[in-house]
Amino acid sequence: MRIGILAIQGDVEEHEEILHRLMVETKRVKLPEDLKDVDGLIIPGGESTTFRKIMLRSGMFDALLQFDKPIMGTCAGIIVMAKALANEEEPYHTLGKLAIEVERNAYGRQRESFEAQVEYSFDGAAKVAFIRAPKITGILSDDVEIIARLGDEIVGVRDGKNVGLTFHPEITGDTTAHEYFLNIVKGE
Ligand code: GLN
């Protein structure tokens, strides 16, 4: 099994480190042809406007629309994957892989970045990092499963084989989210 990590921008190394600890081979994905031999893809946190610009230019955006293997998007990654964005003035290209609406930078200045304990629906709790995180402001299909909560808030979803988390699971070194994603890739 080989997991691609979109290596346009953002924290690629931290995801690699977690996957290597889980004995999984990784590949940095920059161009559409890099997707050929990966079994799943992680879209890391970073800046979603930068992802969008570079992906549209390189053909990666269209390649990912066609890509039908599992994708896990974290932070900026969930923004790139969402079907709809709240409060954006200009039309914003997204992949539409997750039937949710998200709002960028939704925690405001006071709480721009923080670490917190999230509850996973499948395996207890883990400490993770929220960094200028988005919020999930709407669930647009009954097929969307809630997989992570921060108190009452929904912070992680699964839609078919795709996963979106509003936070960074990789920074605190916890492997729970990645293990969950790998099970989807394995078809379990
Ligand atoms: N605020 C960023 C955005 O809107 C996401 C931040 C992150 O990925 N840590 O794309």
Side-chain angles (χ1 to χ4, degrees):
M1 175 169 43
R2 190 181 296 119
I3 300 294
I5 302 170
L6 194 67
I8 289 176
Q9 198 248 353
D11 49 347
V12 175
E13 274 170 36
E14 290 85 346
H15 282 287
E16 282 174 345
E17 210 178 293
I18 299 260
L19 290 169
H20 295 166
R21 261 170 52 208
L22 295 169
M23 310 302 280
V24 173
E25 198 187 320
T26 59
K27 178 180 179 181
R28 294 190 179 195
V29 170
K30 291 191 171 145
L31 297 169
E33 55 264 36
D34 298 332
L35 287 170
K36 259 181 235 148
D37 53 358
V38 301
D39 304 299
L41 181 76
I42 291 179
I43 305 182
E47 186 52 53
S48 58
T49 47
T50 311
F51 277 115
R52 182 185 46 150
K53 273 187 212 138
I54 298 175
M55 281 166 54
L56 283 168
R57 221 185 297 142
S58 65
M60 186 55 106
F61 191 85
D62 288 333
L64 285 182
L65 285 176
Q66 307 296 326
F67 186 73
D68 70 347
K69 292 175 182 160
I71 306 179
M72 177 165 82
T74 64
C75 203
I78 196 177
I79 299 170
V80 172
M81 290 176 77
K83 205 161 230 160
L85 295 189
N87 300 333
E88 292 292 324
E89 279 164 23
E90 289 178 28
Y92 201 103
H93 286 84
T94 57
L95 294 170
K97 302 261 181 191
L98 300 168
I100 55 170
E101 180 192 74
V102 300
E103 182 180 347
R104 298 178 59 217
N105 302 322
Y107 287 90
R109 293 214 149 176
Q110 297 298 319
R111 290 186 83 211
E112 262 197 354
S113 300
F114 55 96
E115 287 193 355
Q117 188 96 344
V118 294
E119 292 283 338
Y120 287 116
S121 61
F122 45 89
D123 189 18
K127 197 173 173 195
V128 299
F130 289 78
I131 304 171
R132 298 183 61 229
K135 276 189 190 181
I136 296 171
T137 45
I139 303 279
L140 309 177
S141 160
D142 290 343
D143 296 335
V144 174
E145 189 187 332
I146 295 162
I147 60 164
R149 287 182 189 270
L150 173 67
D152 291 339
E153 239 166 63
I154 299 167
V155 293
V157 294
R158 172 177 181 171
D159 185 353
K161 53 185 172 311
N162 296 312
V163 174
L165 307 171
T166 63
F167 50 87
H168 290 252
E170 74 287 358
I171 283 176
T172 47
D174 182 75
T175 56
T176 314
H178 293 76
E179 287 177 62
Y180 175 76
F181 179 61
L182 292 173
N183 283 336
I184 296 177
V185 176
K186 284 182 210 148
E188 283 165 18

